[in-house]
C-alpha cells in the first residue's frame, strides 16, 4: 500500500465565461501540470406553469403542469408552501401555515380538504421546482373563499364602561360587539 495522503482541494472561480475552457496549473510531486477544464453553464430552471384553483363541494385543489428534466439538470421535486389568512383587512392575525403537501414530492397538485377550509379566508400557494442544479423562482397563486367579508364590528363609545374590581388592580368592561360568526362550509 502507498504511504501518502491525498487532500481534496476546491476553488471558487467567479465571473466565468460561458462555454469556455479554462486552464488550471497544478504542482504534484514536484511536477508542474496543466489541466484543461471545460465550463458548461446551466440556465436557471423555469418557473412552474400558472397555478389553477379548482373548487368542489368538499375541497379546493391547486394544480400546475408537471416540470420535466432539463438538459443536464435533473428535476428533483416541488417545494410548496400553503398559507391561510383572513380575507378581512381589519383582522390582524398572522398567516397560518398549512401542512398539506409533502415537500419534494413530484405530484403537481395540492388539495385542501373541507375540514381545513375556513370561510372569509385567502389561501396562498407558492410553488418552486427544485432541480439538481438550482431552483426556479416562486410561482404564487391566491384563492379567496366566496363569502362577502362583513364590515368591521362597531360599537358606541358611550356604551363603554370600565370598572375596577373591588380590592384588585383588575379592570373589566361591559363592551359587547356584535360581529357575524363564520359559517361552516357544507
Amino acid at each position: 500500500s502507498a504511504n501518502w495522503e491525498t487532500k481534496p482541494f476546491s476553488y471558487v472561480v467567479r465571473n466565468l465565461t460561458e462555454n469556455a475552457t479554462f486552464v488550471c496549473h497544478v504542482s504534484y510531486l514536484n511536477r508542474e501540470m496543466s489541466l484543461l477544464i471545460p465550463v458548461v453553464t446551466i440556465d436557471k430552471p423555469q418557473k412552474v406553469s400558472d397555478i389553477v384553483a379548482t373548487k368542489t363541494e368538499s375541497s379546493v385543489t391547486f394544480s400546475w403542469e408537471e416540470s420535466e428534466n432539463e438538459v443536464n439538470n435533473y428535476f428533483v421535486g416541488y417545494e410548496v408552501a400553503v398559507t391561510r389568512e383572513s380575507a378581512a383587512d381589519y383582522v390582524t392575525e398572522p398567516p397560518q401555515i398549512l401542512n398539506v403537501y409533502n415537500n419534494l414530492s413530484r405530484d403537481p397538485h395540492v388539495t385542501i380538504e373541507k375540514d381545513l377550509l375556513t370561510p372569509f379566508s385567502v389561501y396562498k400557494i407558492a410553488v418552486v421546482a427544485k432541480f439538481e442544479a438550482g431552483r426556479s423562482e416562486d410561482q404564487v397563486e391566491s384563492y379567496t373563499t366566496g363569502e362577502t367579508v362583513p364590515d368591521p364590528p362597531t360599537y358606541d363609545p358611550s356604551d363603554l364602561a370600565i370598572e375596577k374590581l373591588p380590592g384588585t388592580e383588575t379592570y373589566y368592561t361591559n363592551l359587547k360587539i356584535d360581529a357575524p360568526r363564520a359559517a361552516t362550509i357544507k
Side-chain angles (χ1 to χ4, degrees):
S1 78
N3 190 14
W4 48 278
E5 181 180 336
T6 60
K7 294 181 182 177
F9 292 99
S10 64
Y11 298 92
V12 175
V13 179
R14 301 194 192 297
N15 301 321
L16 293 175
T17 302
E18 292 187 31
N19 302 317
T21 300
F22 288 80
V23 179
C24 178
H25 300 284
V26 295
S27 176
Y28 178 69
L29 297 177
N30 295 325
R31 289 179 56 199
E32 294 288 328
M33 292 183 258
S34 295
L35 303 172
L36 296 177
I37 303 170
V39 174
V40 178
T41 58
I42 297 175
D43 291 332
K44 185 171 184 78
Q46 294 288 319
K47 285 172 110 175
V48 298
S49 66
D50 289 341
I51 300 170
V52 177
T54 307
K55 184 180 187 306
T56 67
E57 287 185 21
S58 61
S59 66
V60 172
T61 298
F62 295 99
S63 57
W64 55 93
E65 291 178 20
E66 281 188 65
S67 294
E68 296 181 4
N69 294 332
E70 296 178 353
V71 177
N72 299 322
N73 201 4
Y74 179 74
F75 172 64
V76 175
Y78 301 105
E79 292 177 357
V80 177
V82 180
T83 58
R84 185 203 70 77
E85 57 188 38
S86 175
D89 58 1
Y90 54 83
V91 175
T92 58
E93 66 187 14
Q96 174 188 10
I97 298 171
L98 302 178
N99 188 13
V100 292
Y101 191 81
N102 181 13
N103 273 335
L104 293 184
S105 168
R106 295 174 65 106
D107 191 1
H109 74 276
V110 173
T111 300
I112 302 172
E113 297 295 340
K114 178 179 175 179
D115 59 331
L116 289 176
L117 288 174
T118 305
F120 309 108
S121 295
V122 176
Y123 293 87
K124 187 180 289 184
I125 181 170
V127 180
V128 172
K130 187 161 176 24
F131 288 79
E132 252 181 348
R135 308 159 26 111
S136 70
E137 293 180 22
D138 289 13
Q139 180 70 284
V140 179
E141 182 63 37
S142 295
Y143 170 80
T144 303
T145 57
E147 306 82 20
T148 302
V149 176
D151 292 331
T154 59
Y155 68 94
D156 182 352
S158 65
D159 292 339
L160 184 60
I162 299 175
E163 298 179 26
K164 183 177 176 187
L165 292 174
T168 71
E169 292 299 316
T170 304
Y171 293 83
Y172 72 96
T173 179
N174 67 343
L175 178 63
K176 293 180 183 171
I177 297 175
D178 292 325
R181 301 252 179 220
T184 56
I185 296 176
K186 295 182 180 180

